[in-house]
Amino acid sequence: METLAVDLATMVRTPLADSHVAAMRDIGEVVTLATGDIVQAIDAPIDSFHYVLSGEIEAIDPRTGARYGEAALGPTQFFGEISFLSGGIAMLGARAAKPSEVLCVPRQKMLDLMSRIPEMSDIIITVWAARRRRMLEVGGSTLTLIGADDSREIKAVAAFAARNRIPTRNLTLGEADAEALANQCQIGKAEPAVIFGKSEVIYPPTPAAVAQRLGLDIGAERDLTFDVLIVGGGPAGVAAGVYAGTEGLKALVVEDLTIGGQAGTSSRIENYMGFPTGISGADLCWRGEVQAMKFGTRFAVPRRAAAIRRQDDGLFCVTLDDGHEVCAKAVVVATGVQYRRMAVDGLEEFEGAGIYYAATDVEARYCGGSEVVVIGGGNSAGQAAMFLSRTAKHVHVLVRGPSLATSMSDYLLSRLEASPDITIHYNASMTALQGETVLAGITVQDSQSGATSQIPTRAVFVMVGAAPNTAWLSNMVKLDDKGFVLTGAAAGSDHAYATSYPGIFAVGDVRSGSVKRVASAVGEGSVVMSRFRDFVHSA
């Protein structure tokens, strides 16, 4: 905790210039504070930018109400972190540690100013992003998870938080801190739970409930109309969000689970230009999300599109999984693909309790020191196997065919074959699962000999197939025989990413004929906006 507080105070490497402060004075208000006055409430939306002119501002520990560590912010420093861009709930509160003067600028006016002065924006966002990273490292947050190791529900919240870069504190059932917090929250004996702040129990303990409490959803503002609605928050959707913002379009990105999509579960992408040592898919997409928010694009998670219709006034209205609608002048379909569920008895019963569809730090935590199984022959499966081999006792890769030469990048296949901690099983399929409430092992069958064998494991990572997420399109656009969206000439349009229905575009893996690579998805999401502004303004 102390380390984080020190970082909060010292992370400004380049102070804001006098001209930046003067510009903020023109649109802000100088507020005089007495010792103890609240600058930012923990359970309230972030609605102002706070720049310290004199005195001292301290961060507030969301769980104790005391000073967060030993450091504080002084003159020329500013409070806050990356949540400011989205207008979410503050992860940390702030108050005056002594009589102070603070320059307060309303959030929207500050965002507009940052968009006009990129040098100022760069300084602020660099500091905020670094603070969020540090919070993630030390578990500093207003959100506490109890019993993720024992509860499928809490494990799902932990995965949602980790993939969306939400810092959490994790407590194990039976430890003293968990018991103390349970008593504080008046829930009796410690049981799996999600706690906000000191004692507020979030119920039900679901990603949707957590997102709503943290202000990550669009909440009561669902009736707003956007220039463009981007459905899907993978690389293509995030890139579209960045370029929509730079074109001055009012844009919303809706994602059903994690910003980053399927690519966000990749532990290490090594062939994306500009990152010679590799970058995780989650980190890459998080940087894009921050970049998009900087330009005014909004994000809503976890929200799944259920249907789409067009009104008489020409607006497209997308019905979300909670029944609410979001409307826009145009829609970008960037829903990508999802791994297929395998036809194995009992599979759904073990999902989240041994069957996983992503291999990140969260999942790796639950299978350290044991044998694990990865099913699939693409790059995602190969990256997962390499990542899991760092902590697992041994990794078994099940491949349905006789080779990986055509489905996996050569550099990745070479590493798998060279690793003593990984065994590739060709012509192999999982045919049965063992276990009661949690997975204990699987049966593997050789498709050539018919022989079966057992692998004792408590974690199987399924990364096979690529089913497009297109059911929600309500038959409005033409699809190919596999369910992917037709675009360009195949859809009767002269625009490469236009569908058969004017005003609906498709980019990324959901598009028929796409390359299925992160770089191409980013490119498509960027290029689709090249003609979007003219289309939206003419709509």
Side-chain angles (χ1 to χ4, degrees), residues 256-315:
D256 71 339
L257 182 60
T258 304
I259 299 301
Q262 194 178 88
T265 67
S266 295
S267 55
R268 191 179 185 189
I269 300 173
E270 291 188 76
N271 56 359
Y272 191 85
M273 189 183 72
F275 296 92
T277 59
I279 185 172
S280 73
D283 280 339
L284 180 65
C285 292
W286 185 71
R287 293 183 185 200
E289 180 185 3
V290 171
Q291 192 173 9
M293 288 192 293
K294 166 187 170 181
F295 290 115
T297 295
R298 298 180 59 183
F299 289 78
V301 290
R303 284 289 165 236
R304 174 182 287 271
I308 184 173
R309 64 184 180 86
R310 194 171 194 182
Q311 298 182 150
D312 293 339
D313 61 4
L315 287 178

Side-chain angles (χ1 to χ4, degrees), residues 144-158:
T144 301
L145 310 184
I146 301 177
D149 290 334
D150 303 279
S151 166
R152 191 179 308 192
E153 287 182 315
I154 308 303
K155 191 178 293 184
V157 172

Side-chain angles (χ1 to χ4, degrees), residues 6 54 79 101 120 186 228 250 253 261 328 359 381 414 425 482:
V6 171
S54 66
F79 182 76
E101 281 191 329
M120 180 177 72
Q186 299 182 343
V228 56
K250 185 178 179 182
V253 179
S414 297
H425 304 263
K482 295 181 180 179

Side-chain angles (χ1 to χ4, degrees), residues 102-122:
V102 176
L103 176 56
C104 300
V105 183
R107 175 177 166 272
Q108 191 55 56
K109 289 184 177 180
M110 189 64 191
L111 290 175
D112 293 341
L113 184 64
M114 289 168 62
S115 69
R116 296 197 303 272
I117 309 177
E119 297 82 8
M120 180 177 72
S121 178
D122 291 345

Side-chain angles (χ1 to χ4, degrees), residues 223-505:
D223 293 333
L224 290 177
T225 297
F226 295 86
D227 290 325
V228 56
L229 175 63
I230 302 164
V231 185
V238 172
V242 171
Y243 281 81
T246 62
E247 292 292 339
L249 299 174
K250 185 178 179 182
L252 173 69
V253 179
V254 175
E255 167 57 38
D256 71 339
L257 182 60
T258 304
I259 299 301
Q262 194 178 88
T265 67
S266 295
S267 55
R268 191 179 185 189
I269 300 173
E270 291 188 76
N271 56 359
Y272 191 85
M273 189 183 72
F275 296 92
T277 59
I279 185 172
S280 73
D283 280 339
L284 180 65
C285 292
W286 185 71
R287 293 183 185 200
E289 180 185 3
V290 171
Q291 192 173 9
M293 288 192 293
K294 166 187 170 181
F295 290 115
T297 295
R298 298 180 59 183
F299 289 78
V301 290
R303 284 289 165 236
R304 174 182 287 271
I308 184 173
R309 64 184 180 86
R310 194 171 194 182
Q311 298 182 150
D312 293 339
D313 61 4
L315 287 178
F316 293 96
C317 291
V318 173
T319 303
L320 303 179
D321 51 3
D322 64 353
H324 287 85
E325 284 190 329
V326 179
C327 299
K329 299 174 183 177
V331 174
V332 174
V333 181
T335 42
V337 299
Q338 60 186 0
Y339 294 124
R340 298 182 185 275
R341 280 193 170 94
M342 302 181 69
V344 179
D345 289 341
L347 185 78
E348 292 187 15
E349 297 176 13
F350 289 109
E351 288 179 344
I355 298 294
Y356 304 103
Y357 296 91
T360 67
D361 289 331
V362 177
E363 290 79 19
R365 170 185 170 190
Y366 305 126
C367 56
S370 65
E371 295 192 39
V372 302
V373 176
V374 177
I375 302 178
N379 278 1
S380 293
Q383 290 162 353
M386 291 301 302
F387 174 69
L388 293 167
S389 68
R390 302 175 190 172
T391 54
K393 180 179 179 181
H394 196 80
V395 178
H396 299 270
V397 180
L398 306 188
V399 183
R400 185 174 56 182
S403 171
L404 286 172
T406 60
S407 61
M408 186 178 293
S409 295
D410 181 69
Y411 80 92
L412 196 51
L413 175 56
S414 297
R415 291 180 186 177
L416 262 62
E417 292 176 333
S419 174
D421 301 313
I422 298 173
T423 299
I424 303 175
H425 304 263
Y426 292 107
N427 304 305
S429 300
M430 179 176 69
T431 58
L433 307 171
Q434 290 85 48
E436 296 182 3
T437 58
V438 296
L439 186 68
I442 66 170
T443 299
V444 178
Q445 184 175 48
D446 186 299
S447 61
Q448 291 187 328
S449 67
T452 60
S453 58
Q454 307 295 316
I455 298 179
T457 181
R458 59 181 193 230
V460 172
F461 297 85
V462 180
M463 297 179 173
V464 296
N469 294 310
T470 54
W472 65 278
L473 287 170
S474 309
N475 298 315
M476 284 185 69
V477 303
K478 292 180 180 178
L479 309 177
D480 68 12
D481 57 356
K482 295 181 180 179
F484 291 88
V485 180
L486 292 171
T487 57
S493 174
D494 61 351
H495 188 292
Y497 306 115
T499 70
S500 59
Y501 199 108
I504 301 180
F505 299 76

Side-chain angles (χ1 to χ4, degrees), residues 47-190:
D47 57 10
S48 294
F49 179 85
H50 304 291
Y51 179 85
V52 183
L53 296 172
S54 66
E56 181 176 284
I57 302 300
E58 64 182 359
I60 303 173
D61 189 315
R63 296 186 290 270
T64 66
R67 173 180 283 199
Y68 200 76
E70 300 300 325
L73 301 175
T76 75
Q77 296 180 307
F78 50 88
F79 182 76
E81 53 93 37
I82 212 70
S83 295
F84 182 92
L85 296 178
S86 63
I89 299 297
M91 295 287 181
L92 295 173
R95 66 178 164 231
K98 61 175 65 172
S100 305
E101 281 191 329
V102 176
L103 176 56
C104 300
V105 183
R107 175 177 166 272
Q108 191 55 56
K109 289 184 177 180
M110 189 64 191
L111 290 175
D112 293 341
L113 184 64
M114 289 168 62
S115 69
R116 296 197 303 272
I117 309 177
E119 297 82 8
M120 180 177 72
S121 178
D122 291 345
I123 294 170
I124 293 172
I125 289 179
T126 297
V127 173
W128 282 346
R131 287 175 179 170
R132 173 59 70 87
R133 285 195 297 270
R134 190 60 183 154
M135 291 173 72
L136 288 164
E137 291 171 3
V138 302
S141 174
T142 186
L143 206 63
T144 301
L145 310 184
I146 301 177
D149 290 334
D150 303 279
S151 166
R152 191 179 308 192
E153 287 182 315
I154 308 303
K155 191 178 293 184
V157 172
F160 170 77
R163 293 173 198 163
N164 286 286
R165 293 298 187 265
I166 302 169
T168 61
R169 178 175 67 150
N170 294 279
L171 301 179
T172 303
L173 288 176
E175 66 176 290
D177 284 350
E179 295 292 341
L181 183 56
N183 290 329
Q184 186 173 307
C185 297
Q186 299 182 343
I187 58 177
K189 181 178 174 59

